[in-house]
Amino acid sequence: MAANDLVFFEGIVLNEGAYFYSYAEDCDEAKKERDVKNCFTNIKNRTSDFVKISSTIWKNVNYDGEKQAFCSLLLFSSKAVPSFMQNLDDAYKKKECHIGYVLIIEIENYVIIFSRYANGINEFKNKLKPINGSVLTGAMLRADSLFTKLRLGSMSLNPNALRNRSFESNDLNQSMPLFGLGQSVVKTTRIKQSNADTATITLSTSRVAKFGSSKRNISELCMWADMVITGIKNPVDLSTTMLNNFSRPIKWQDEYVNLKPIYLLIDIHELTNIIAEQQVELIYLQAKDNEEETGDLLNKILAKHCECFDLQEIEAHTQYSCKSFTSLSIKVSKNGIKLDCSGRLNNLFLRYPSGEKVRMTTFINSHKCFYVGFENVKYIYYGAQLHEDSNMKENLDSILSIFEPVKSMERVNTEKGTIKADSTSFDEDSVFRVVEDFYIQKEASFLICDDMGNECADHIAICGETLSFIHSKAYGKTSLSASNFQVVIGQAIKNIGNLRNLNVSNKIEAWRDKKYGQTEIPICRKGDINEFESEYNKISKSPNGIKEVCLAIDFISLKSLSSAFNKIKNDESFKQKNSVAQMIWLLSAFISACKDADMHCRILCKE
């Protein structure tokens, strides 16, 4: 090693924060050293105005007595035009200087990577096997460990569901809400030990960081990595911790041949967060002359493609394309699932401040910003990991519990019936009439028909200390169609947000002495409209007051839905299994959205 390289190697100090991987079992030492050299060369070729400061490959480092590690360090500088100067003429563009590094520590068959400004390192990472996030968490746990922060992703494939949530507490085991955790994926967790050490684990990327630690030299970093590896070899059983309530990580290789992908959801929220954090710019490269078109492309993508895509098989068990967006597809292999693209989507890139360009789908794959759902509804793929809903059977029972059969729903053929100028009530074969009869029988003190174009619900009812917002939908026949649910659930979830900002006084003025459309049907179906606001506010502010979102539908029979759910539980095949699987995701999203808004939920249906 040159004297200059030795100075940097022995003098550099870094925080205890790194990515943990392992080599394939058949990887020999020659290949390991060759891969590191290729990694350093790739970083050089992918870095603008690269200048090497120091380079050391496979130096033997002794630590903690007789233990040995092989360490490789690349220290370099680079220059790039910052993104806010991209549109200036070349004469006015200025470059900013960055000092970057890559430190690769190899202990036994494990690889620990520390890096900064290292464009092109993902090619090296992709050759390695990431350590399972749950194993990493188990590696850091002790008997006295406390979970102080959890960042969760939803397994729901409803695009309107809350996608990411964070919880923080001195001890989340004492304060964490438990409902629906089986359909939540743990993305990041922070663990505190009794000695005040705190570790943060990002499960989807195999990263461990010791929170607030002092910088360490390379020998001390080897000792820290060795401690983590010792835990990896003998991790704590997470079934004995609060993490047992969440979705359970499953080994992909054991299950993938039995799974059929049917839905893809891009985690747009996570993607935009990462884009903002890394200060990358979205660009489009025209193939024929390599010109760049920059502009508001991201917003166009968000507006058009922030949705859940149905998948169709195009190559048996290996490739599936999106039905409504065929240039986007997924590839399935024994190593996992990756996004693939064609056509114009293939020309969509992200440009780093250094000037490096990465294809959008490659970026999404690297940061694991997508979910894949399967015909077997209890599984979801996220973060290079297959997850199983640990409480699927219980969740199906919970979903069924919100359905309430209404005998009079059997007569329904239409949503509102035939509206005539002299009508004083809705037709008996309409959902609107069934809803009104139902709440009048429940002795509602107020019943308002708010179906007026800017409504927060089709009906609003007050029964005792319960304030109900009812959304109605009719299709005239019974089926197990998930698409029928999408419209009414989407509208209900959307209106939950509107309810928080409801101006009741303005609403009352819009209702006062009004009739429904061009009919004689009063908007206020029951109660004194002048007393509605005080009763509404009383329930809203009462500690025992209940707000609920109610769906009234004619297309679901509780008996047929219960039968379908039982077949799902028993993993039986039936004609509408895919549709019922999607229905479960939609209903779970509806329940979760109501719970998050501190609202109850109910669905009136056929018997």
Side-chain angles (χ1 to χ4, degrees):
M1 181 190 298
N4 184 62
D5 292 337
L6 183 62
V7 168
F8 285 108
F9 190 88
E10 294 184 346
I12 192 171
V13 290
L14 304 173
N15 287 318
E16 294 168 316
Y19 298 88
F20 283 76
Y21 296 86
S22 63
Y23 276 118
E25 293 181 1
D26 59 350
C27 189
D28 57 32
E29 292 187 359
K31 185 178 185 305
K32 293 177 182 179
E33 186 174 355
R34 184 168 61 251
D35 284 347
V36 171
K37 290 179 179 178
N38 290 338
C39 173
F40 286 6
T41 300
N42 192 34
I43 292 171
K44 174 183 176 182
N45 295 336
R46 300 279 290 275
T47 303
S48 175
D49 289 344
F50 177 92
V51 176
K52 184 186 77 173
I53 298 173
S54 175
S55 179
T56 302
I57 294 179
W58 255 47
K59 176 176 172 52
N60 193 321
V61 174
N62 292 318
Y63 68 95
D64 197 20
E66 299 294 322
K67 295 182 178 180
Q68 290 185 331
F70 292 100
C71 300
S72 303
L73 173 68
L74 177 64
L75 190 64
F76 59 91
S77 68
S78 64
K79 292 182 180 179
V81 177
S83 59
F84 60 83
M85 286 187 165
Q86 292 291 341
N87 292 333
L88 294 174
D89 292 337
D90 289 345
Y92 294 95
K93 289 181 178 178
K94 303 295 180 183
K95 292 185 177 182
E96 56 186 352
C97 182
H98 301 284
I99 305 297
Y101 62 82
V102 177
L103 172 63
I104 301 173
I105 297 176
E106 300 179 34
I107 298 175
E108 299 176 13
N109 206 43
Y110 294 92
V111 185
I112 303 92
I113 301 174
F114 304 76
S115 65
R116 186 185 186 194
Y117 298 126
N119 299 327
I121 196 173
N122 283 336
E123 283 82 349
F124 175 66
K125 289 181 178 180
N126 290 338
K127 296 178 181 179
L128 305 170
K129 180 182 178 181
I131 303 300
N132 181 283
S134 296
V135 172
L136 271 181
T137 303
M140 304 303 294
L141 283 175
R142 304 291 180 270
D144 57 357
S145 296
L146 299 177
F147 290 94
T148 60
K149 182 176 182 178
L150 286 171
R151 185 165 178 266
L152 308 178
S154 172
M155 289 175 68
S156 170
L157 294 183
N158 187 320
N160 295 319
L162 284 178
R163 188 54 48 202
N164 299 295
R165 294 183 291 174
S166 292
F167 297 88
E168 293 188 65
S169 170
N170 289 334
D171 182 5
L172 286 172
N173 195 42
Q174 302 294 324
S175 54
M176 187 84 181
L178 296 179
F179 178 82
L181 293 188
Q183 291 187 318
S184 295
V185 175
V186 179
K187 292 187 172 182
T188 304
T189 180
R190 183 180 294 167
I191 301 167
K192 185 176 182 180
Q193 319 289 11
S194 61
N195 61 2
D197 284 347
T198 302
T200 298
I201 301 106
T202 306
L203 281 74
S204 60
T205 59
S206 303
R207 189 175 190 275
V208 178
K210 193 172 179 181
F211 188 73
S213 64
S214 302
K215 288 181 169 59
R216 308 291 185 185
N217 61 36
I218 290 178
S219 178
E220 291 169 329
L221 292 175
C222 289
M223 294 175 63
W224 172 72
D226 184 87
M227 179 199 70
V228 177
I229 290 169
T230 299
I232 289 172
K233 293 177 180 178
N234 297 285
V236 169
D237 182 4
L238 297 185
S239 66
T240 63
T241 73
M242 68 171 294
L243 294 188
N244 188 51
N245 295 305
F246 297 91
S247 63
R248 186 165 61 97
I250 301 294
K251 191 174 181 181
W252 169 253
Q253 288 79 1
D254 291 345
E255 296 290 341
Y256 83 99
V257 293
N258 302 315
L259 297 175
K260 181 182 179 181
I262 55 175
Y263 307 114
L264 167 70
L265 180 74
I266 307 296
D267 191 345
I268 293 293
H269 308 285
E270 184 79 352
L271 179 61
T272 50
N273 286 339
I274 296 171
I275 287 174
E277 289 170 3
Q278 300 194 8
Q279 299 180 341
V280 292
E281 180 185 12
L282 193 65
I283 61 174
Y284 182 81
L285 300 183
Q286 293 182 342
K288 63 177 182 179
D289 52 13
N290 209 37
E291 290 183 2
E292 299 179 8
E293 288 183 5
T294 59
D296 198 18
L297 292 178
L298 186 58
N299 286 334
K300 292 179 182 178
I301 291 173
L302 296 184
K304 188 175 181 181
H305 302 306
C306 185
E307 60 179 283
C308 180
F309 300 104
D310 291 345
L311 295 172
Q312 59 187 359
E313 189 176 63
I314 55 177
E315 289 185 21
H317 309 299
T318 59
Q319 190 163 9
Y320 300 79
S321 69
C322 300
K323 290 182 179 179
S324 60
F325 190 32
T326 55
S327 58
L328 181 63
S329 62
I330 64 169
K331 287 188 173 181
V332 178
S333 72
K334 66 178 182 179
N335 296 320
I337 298 178
K338 289 190 176 182
L339 294 189
D340 195 22
C341 62
S342 59
R344 296 188 67 200
L345 188 60
N346 207 35
N347 298 329
L348 197 60
F349 285 75
L350 289 163
R351 179 170 57 200
Y352 286 88
S354 64
E356 180 193 10
K357 301 179 185 70
V358 177
R359 184 168 278 108
M360 171 64 94
T361 48
T362 303
F363 186 88
I364 294 173
N365 284 329
S366 298
H367 294 282
K368 319 292 192 303
C369 300
F370 66 91
Y371 297 77
V372 175
F374 303 93
E375 189 178 78
N376 189 331
V377 71
K378 68 180 180 179
Y379 292 108
I380 196 108
Y381 185 90
Y382 170 76
Q385 176 71 60
L386 183 66
H387 298 267
E388 179 185 15
D389 184 343
S390 56
N391 300 302
M392 174 52 70
K393 291 185 178 181
E394 293 82 355
N395 286 343
L396 292 180
D397 292 338
S398 296
I399 290 173
L400 285 176
S401 71
I402 72 170
F403 283 82
E404 183 170 343
V406 179
K407 187 174 183 179
S408 55
M409 195 69 79
E410 301 295 333
R411 69 178 186 235
V412 168
N413 293 311
T414 179
E415 189 170 310
K416 303 169 189 175
T418 303
I419 306 298
K420 300 177 182 178
D422 60 350
S423 297
T424 58
S425 63
F426 294 102
D427 291 348
E428 288 194 359
D429 64 350
S430 69
V431 178
F432 274 36
R433 178 63 175 269
V434 170
V435 166
E436 292 186 357
D437 290 347
F438 177 84
Y439 279 95
I440 288 172
Q441 289 172 9
K442 289 188 62 165
E443 300 183 350
S445 54
F446 291 91
L447 182 61
I448 310 293
C449 180
D450 191 38
D451 182 38
M452 300 172 61
N454 63 341
E455 74 274 5
C456 56
D458 291 323
H459 283 87
I460 301 174
I462 294 179
C463 298
E465 291 197 331
T466 300
L467 177 61
S468 302
F469 299 89
I470 306 110
H471 301 266
S472 300
K473 184 61 67 175
Y475 286 94
K477 61 180 181 179
T478 303
S479 71
L480 291 174
S481 171
S483 59
N484 289 348
F485 256 122
Q486 272 185 308
V487 175
V488 65
I489 285 180
Q491 187 63 40
I493 291 177
K494 177 183 176 183
N495 282 338
I496 286 175
N498 297 334
L499 297 178
R500 293 175 175 175
N501 302 310
L502 182 64
N503 189 317
V504 182
S505 297
N506 288 348
K507 275 288 186 183
I508 289 174
E509 291 308 310
W511 298 333
R512 193 185 303 278
D513 300 325
K514 293 293 192 303
K515 303 293 177 63
Y516 182 81
Q518 302 299 317
T519 73
E520 294 301 314
I521 303 173
I523 290 297
C524 183
R525 309 295 293 136
K526 186 179 180 182
D528 184 349
I529 195 68
N530 295 310
E531 298 178 3
F532 181 85
E533 184 173 5
S534 62
E535 191 67 18
Y536 180 97
N537 291 334
K538 176 184 174 182
I539 294 173
S540 297
K541 297 175 181 178
S542 170
N544 295 320
I546 296 171
K547 284 187 177 182
E548 73 169 10
V549 178
C550 177
L551 308 183
I553 55 176
D554 75 330
F555 52 85
I556 287 293
S557 156
L558 180 56
K559 182 178 179 181
S560 61
L561 187 64
S562 298
S563 175
F565 278 15
N566 283 331
K567 291 176 181 178
I568 291 284
K569 288 180 183 179
N570 298 324
D571 200 23
E572 298 177 26
S573 295
F574 59 102
K575 185 177 180 181
Q576 292 178 296
K577 189 173 183 179
N578 284 6
S579 180
V580 174
Q582 187 178 9
M583 194 186 301
I584 291 169
W585 291 118
L586 290 168
L587 289 167
S588 297
F590 170 59
I591 294 171
S592 295
C594 291
K595 293 292 289 185
D596 290 333
D598 196 24
M599 301 184 78
H600 291 205
C601 50
R602 184 208 306 253
I603 299 179
L604 305 181
C605 65
K606 292 183 177 179
E607 293 181 329

